Amino acid sequence: MRDYWAGEILSLASAGELSANRQSSNGDAPATDRDHTQRSVDLPPELLALTAKLKRASLSPLDTAIRQFHRVTARSRQLQQLPIRWLLDVATGSTGSFEGWASTYLDSVDEHSVRSYINQLPYQPLISIVMPLYQPDLPILRETIRSVTNQIYPNWQLCIVDDHSDDHDLDGYLAHLSRQESRLDFLRREKSGGIAVASNDAIALAKGEYVCFLDQGDRLTPDALAWIVAAVVNNTEVELLYSDEDKTNSKERFDPYFKPDFDPLLLLGQNYLTRLLTIRRNLLVNLGGLRLGVDGAQDWDLALRATESIAPSHVVHIPKILYHWSIADDTILMALGIENDIYESGRKVVADALVRRSLKALAEPANDVAFKLLHFKPDPSSRVAIILSASAKNVANLVAQLDHPLIRRFCSDLVIINGPDSSPELRSYLASVESKGIATVVERKMNTSLAATYNDIASKLTTKYIYIIGDFVLAEDPSWLSELVGIADGMGLAIASPLLLSSDRKIYQAGLMLGVEVEAAPRYYGEPETATGHRERLTVAQQVSAVTTETVLINREIYLAVGGMDEYLGGLLRDLDLCLKLGAAGEAIGYTPTARLMRIASERNPSPPPPPDGEELVTFWDRWRPQLARDRYYNQNLITTNTSCAPTQPRVYEPWQATQVIEEYPFYAPDRSLPTNPIVLSPGGRIVVHLPTTVSYAQVTLWLQTSDSLPSIRLVNGETVVDHSFPTSPTQFSPIAIELDGTGNLEVINTSAQDIALEAYELVTTQLLRIHTARKADFLVDTLGMQVKTLSRKRSH
């Protein structure tokens, strides 16, 4: 529903029903796009009525927009031209113009390269596109069909079934089209049967090895089928595919969904596969096609049933917007009329999936009818040992909370770790707790890491789970432990993580995004408690690649099977290492918003932890660099320099492009003892640094190392070509400063006979470069998991 509201707000704005002209506070000059909170706005009755309707409907995905509208309205003097772009940004939580991003990265399709790639494929499967129709708008339908006939990939079949529309012009158009286009098959039903019946009739016409679904009014990008075929060619076992999508109305594109890779937990709460769902025809036939009686959620039901019968590795996500979902201007009014039907269908398909999977869980609406919040019933025999790291007086408050019956129902052991630097008061309290049999106190020695202590405790326990928690965490609702045990039991998770809030009721952690802000960053950090995330992802349970161990439930046997925590890594690197080991072992990590805890400030007010030293960084990146470059649950079209989840330059490999953007290599902290992005250039290898023309650069510093005593590189910047030979050693990285003229690209070419390790880039005006490879073979590091060479653990300064 949120998508419809956003579209309606845009419709009101672009129809001129929001009055005009934005001004600065002094009225002399237009305000910038960032001056949202400074604008004086007088909203028209239509928009005020719409926001009131949203509030009555409790559609919290747009709560932020409503609050923003009311905040501006409260300051109103007069409204003159509220820009459509701002309304879209408020409604969707975007930080920039999606239209601008799409025109830069989506609209440009290299048809020649795509055709050349297709022509050399030995295997070109037939793709059948099924499209049920009922009372379509004929001009819009023509655009939909044109998006199929304009496909670059030629081996397709379009199967159209009209569900007994009463439009004679439609009949004539389709009959004429089927005579003109041999790849089109058309059937008109004698009576209306609904979307599932009409879709099944279209499936019966399909002859292709794969079947994809297209709704009337929607459109495919010209390369959509080429992407599907490329995915099939590269993975012959694929059974189901889906792509990213956006929405369109008569005025613009908006509300993109940059999706994660396949996540069965997320699919139980949200039908995120939706558009351009493509499925192997044999599987579709074996499933009996679309199920009747669940109109409005029939595609969700199909996705749930299909993914139950195939291996997760046979589900492929194409991280590219290939589908434009059409939202008509009056869709919102239509949706309001069938809201109860959609809710009931969605409730039924999720409930049926839970029964088929023997999962004991309750699904309730999460924000609107299209999303389901799951409460899993835990196994009564599951037992948890809570391991509490005591560092301040807050421990007494937490121990008191852990005495609640809902906690004691599952908690059979309470272990408190006392640090070597604890106060006499804390030691006295812990001695009292232990003497009363409330907890077991473990003394951590001065030279023993916290990770080693966790490992030792876990090895001596017998419970199914351990719960690691710090004494700076408190709970408002005592059901948090049963919620986490329930989802871990039901979904077989290695780690279950709650939503962790800060004391000012902002998001502190809801899982981590790998490769963001160097190693990883918390999703939606600092957002208000009511935030819903990119396409409401925060509101439903889902898998994530990593979490911190500040407060998590861990399956003890799985934890020990992967070796527990690395005792020589600290802080975030330690937590990431554990999560990545679990992921490499095929284990899942889950987040659920049904369990909420609050992180309160420690009375000790400790200073921030020191940054990891060079040896830790080299060890960590040597293990996990490929995984950090590609988080399965964080889309490759989203930014990695901050946590805004805004679209940026895609890091997506296009099979038909000879020259590829392989990776982004951010370097944020020049004072770190070692950077996090070592690259090795073979003799003759090169990198091309694309310098934005809008920024003037004075110089760049490269940190280099090689076993050759006097290595040489060639630098090409604009029309300037310079050969450098420089002294270095095999045990240290040495800096070389290069002056730039601020134009063109900077090419770095290894003209030595030995490998050169290029460890960091330090631009005067920025700390981020995007690295492109001239030829993929020139690079020893890419996103396909090739090993990084590390020639040293130290760097000279």
Side-chain angles (χ1 to χ4, degrees):
M1 290 287 293
R2 165 185 179 275
D3 310 317
Y4 301 141
W5 293 118
E8 185 71 2
I9 291 172
L10 287 170
S11 299
L12 286 170
S14 53
E17 295 177 23
L18 299 181
S19 24
N21 209 15
R22 69 188 153 139
Q23 296 181 346
S24 64
S25 55
N26 61 16
D28 296 331
T32 68
D33 280 343
R34 297 184 181 180
D35 294 334
H36 304 327
T37 57
Q38 303 299 321
R39 298 190 185 121
S40 319
V41 178
D42 206 0
L43 296 175
E46 293 84 357
L47 188 51
L48 291 176
L50 178 60
T51 58
K53 187 186 297 183
L54 284 165
K55 204 154 194 175
R56 286 196 303 274
S58 299
L59 297 178
S60 60
L62 272 184
D63 279 352
T64 302
I66 296 169
R67 284 195 300 273
Q68 181 76 314
F69 285 132
H70 286 310
R71 209 165 29 237
V72 179
T73 306
R75 301 192 172 111
S76 79
R77 293 190 285 267
Q78 69 180 48
L79 167 74
Q80 303 184 336
Q81 200 129 61
L82 191 62
I84 295 173
R85 184 75 265 144
W86 178 65
L87 287 172
L88 176 60
D89 290 349
V90 170
T92 63
S94 174
T95 58
S97 166
F98 173 62
E99 286 277 11
W101 180 90
S103 64
T104 302
Y105 299 115
L106 185 61
D107 294 345
S108 177
V109 176
D110 186 349
E111 293 194 16
H112 175 74
S113 295
V114 177
R115 292 187 195 280
S116 297
Y117 172 82
I118 291 169
N119 290 337
Q120 57 85 34
L121 289 178
Y123 170 55
Q124 299 184 26
L126 176 66
I127 307 295
S128 295
I129 304 165
V130 300
M131 184 167 63
L133 300 179
Y134 183 70
Q135 308 288 51
D137 182 291
L138 195 52
I140 295 178
L141 177 63
R142 288 193 177 100
E143 291 297 318
T144 300
I145 294 176
R146 188 175 295 116
S147 78
V148 176
T149 58
N150 286 343
Q151 286 298 301
I152 302 172
Y153 182 74
N155 195 18
W156 53 261
Q157 173 198 18
L158 179 58
C159 307
I160 299 178
V161 170
D162 176 39
D163 197 24
H164 200 69
S165 301
D166 56 9
D167 186 342
H168 295 295
D169 290 340
L170 173 66
D171 292 340
Y173 167 67
L174 292 175
H176 172 74
L177 190 62
S178 61
R179 290 192 297 270
Q180 298 295 316
E181 176 55 74
S182 60
R183 294 171 291 182
L184 186 147
D185 289 294
F186 168 60
L187 172 69
R188 187 179 191 276
R189 288 183 51 79
E190 293 301 319
K191 65 176 183 177
S192 180
I195 187 170
V197 171
S199 296
N200 285 338
D201 285 349
I203 291 169
L205 298 175
K207 302 172 185 175
E209 185 174 348
Y210 289 88
V211 173
C212 68
F213 294 84
L214 177 63
D215 281 6
Q216 66 181 46
D218 298 351
R219 290 180 292 112
L220 303 177
T221 63
D223 55 347
L225 297 185
W227 274 97
I228 292 173
V229 171
V232 169
V233 168
N234 290 321
N235 181 0
T236 57
E237 295 184 330
V238 62
E239 299 279 348
L240 186 146
L241 307 93
Y242 63 99
S243 76
D244 296 346
E245 65 189 53
D246 63 12
K247 291 184 172 59
T248 64
N249 57 22
S250 59
K251 302 163 186 70
E252 64 179 327
R253 292 174 293 191
F254 59 99
D255 204 13
Y257 195 171
F258 297 106
K259 304 175 184 180
D261 285 358
F262 178 58
D263 178 356
L265 179 55
L266 178 61
L267 188 59
L268 281 170
Q270 178 191 95
N271 181 21
Y272 76 97
L273 304 188
T274 54
R275 294 327 202 230
L276 204 60
L277 183 68
T278 303
I279 185 170
R280 193 185 292 269
R281 185 167 62 90
N282 288 345
L283 173 61
L284 184 58
V285 171
N286 291 339
L287 293 169
L290 297 179
R291 186 156 67 113
L292 307 185
V294 290
D295 282 3
Q298 73 286 339
D299 52 352
W300 194 356
D301 176 79
L302 175 63
L304 287 166
R305 290 188 293 123
T307 54
E308 289 168 6
S309 60
I310 59 178
S313 60
H314 296 172
V315 181
V316 170
H317 165 224
I318 301 171
K320 176 84 171 178
I321 291 178
L322 304 178
Y323 194 102
H324 304 304
W325 186 345
S326 176
I327 304 297
D329 293 338
D330 60 349
T331 301
I332 184 172
L333 303 177
M334 297 167 57
L336 287 173
I338 61 170
E339 184 172 327
N340 290 335
D341 294 339
I342 296 175
Y343 167 76
E344 179 56 29
S345 294
R347 184 205 62 78
K348 179 174 175 55
V349 301
V350 173
D352 290 349
L354 294 172
V355 171
R356 288 193 304 270
R357 304 176 191 194
S358 300
L359 295 176
K360 297 178 180 179
L362 171 68
E364 65 180 29
N367 291 311
D368 70 28
V369 298
F371 303 91
K372 299 291 174 282
L373 193 64
L374 299 177
H375 299 274
F376 288 84
K377 183 178 180 181
D379 184 337
S381 65
S382 294
R383 289 293 175 264
V384 181
I386 295 179
I387 305 175
L388 169 59
S389 179
S391 60
K393 294 180 180 178
N394 295 330
V395 65
N397 294 329
L398 184 54
V399 169
Q401 286 200 4
L402 295 178
D403 193 42
H404 193 281
L406 277 177
I407 304 297
R408 286 190 279 107
R409 179 181 175 187
F410 298 99
C411 177
S412 59
D413 300 88
L414 175 59
V415 181
I416 302 178
I417 301 174
N418 185 30
D421 57 349
S422 62
S423 65
E425 293 83 4
L426 179 57
R427 288 184 175 278
S428 175
Y429 169 77
L430 294 179
S432 172
V433 167
E434 188 168 35
S435 68
K436 295 175 182 178
I438 297 173
T440 300
V441 177
V442 173
E443 297 289 340
R444 181 166 69 89
K445 297 179 181 179
M446 181 66 70
N447 296 323
T448 303
S449 68
L450 190 58
T453 306
Y454 285 143
N455 293 344
D456 183 58
I457 293 172
S459 68
K460 296 174 181 177
L461 292 167
T462 59
T463 55
K464 181 176 182 179
Y465 297 107
I466 57 175
Y467 196 95
I468 294 177
I469 191 169
D471 63 4
F472 46 80
V473 176
L474 295 175
E476 296 178 334
D477 185 346
S479 67
W480 59 271
L481 185 57
S482 60
E483 289 283 357
L484 291 169
V485 173
I487 196 170
D489 279 343
M491 299 301 295
L493 301 177
I495 292 182
S497 178
L499 173 61
L500 185 58
L501 302 172
S502 57
S503 55
D504 57 356
R505 308 206 70 85
K506 292 183 178 179
I507 294 172
Y508 187 81
Q509 189 198 152
L512 297 174
M513 302 177 291
L514 299 179
V516 176
E517 295 182 350
V518 189
E519 284 84 22
R523 300 190 311 156
Y524 310 109
Y525 177 83
E527 292 290 316
E529 180 183 13
T530 55
T532 59
H534 180 59
R535 292 299 296 269
E536 292 80 45
R537 289 271 302 282
L538 268 175
T539 67
V540 292
Q542 66 214 255
Q543 293 184 11
V544 293
S545 292
V547 295
T548 69
T549 59
E550 289 189 79
T551 172
V552 288
L553 183 78
I554 305 175
N555 184 299
R556 189 182 65 88
E557 288 189 1
I558 297 175
Y559 174 86
L560 294 175
V562 299
M565 294 183 184
D566 188 314
E567 300 175 9
Y568 302 100
L569 295 177
L572 179 63
L573 298 187
R574 176 198 64 207
D575 295 347
L576 289 174
D577 182 75
L578 172 63
C579 293
L580 291 168
K581 283 194 295 187
L582 292 168
E587 303 293 344
I589 299 168
Y591 149 84
T592 177
T594 61
R596 293 190 171 212
L597 292 166
M598 181 171 290
R599 189 183 195 278
I600 60 175
S602 171
E603 292 183 14
R604 284 176 28 174
N605 243 348
S607 57
D613 64 32
E615 188 166 347
E616 281 185 303
L617 280 170
V618 169
T619 298
F620 178 78
W621 278 84
D622 190 48
R623 287 179 190 169
W624 301 118
R625 191 175 195 287
Q627 288 80 0
L628 292 166
R630 172 77 169 87
D631 187 335
R632 293 180 53 212
Y633 305 110
Y634 189 67
N635 194 284
Q636 293 157 271
N637 292 282
L638 300 180
I639 197 165
T640 60
T641 56
N642 60 56
T643 60
S644 66
C645 297
T648 188
Q649 181 174 358
R651 304 176 301 281
V652 180
Y653 174 74
E654 296 184 350
W656 37 81
Q657 294 294 342
T659 301
Q660 291 296 325
V661 178
I662 300 298
E663 271 185 70
E664 248 179 14
Y665 291 95
F667 182 55
Y668 304 90
D671 58 342
R672 288 176 66 152
S673 56
L674 266 184
T676 58
N677 50 351
I679 301 170
V680 177
L681 294 181
S682 298
R686 73 176 65 196
I687 60 173
V688 181
V689 180
H690 292 255
L691 302 176
T693 57
T694 56
V695 180
S696 177
Y697 299 96
Q699 76 176 39
V700 61
T701 301
L702 307 178
W703 294 84
L704 302 130
Q705 179 207 24
T706 180
S707 57
D708 190 339
S709 60
L710 196 67
S712 60
I713 58 173
R714 175 166 296 166
L715 303 170
V716 181
N717 178 225
E719 297 182 355
T720 304
V721 179
V722 179
D723 289 303
H724 283 270
S725 295
F726 53 93
T728 185
S729 77
T731 59
Q732 291 183 326
F733 281 83
S734 303
I736 176 171
I738 303 151
E739 294 185 359
L740 305 176
D741 61 14
T743 61
N745 299 323
L746 171 64
E747 294 187 47
V748 183
I749 306 168
N750 180 7
T751 54
S752 300
Q754 304 290 329
D755 290 346
I756 290 180
L758 176 63
E759 274 241 330
Y761 322 95
E762 192 173 310
L763 283 177
V764 171
T765 56
T766 185
Q767 292 175 340
L768 173 66
L769 293 181
R770 289 190 174 91
I771 306 303
H772 298 229
T773 58
R775 293 192 308 274
K776 189 174 175 183
D778 288 340
F779 233 10
L780 295 185
V781 180
D782 64 20
T783 56
L784 301 179
M786 299 176 72
Q787 189 74 18
V788 177
K789 293 184 181 179
T790 302
L791 302 185
S792 174
R793 293 173 181 260
K794 295 182 180 180
R795 167 177 99 178
S796 64
H797 289 272

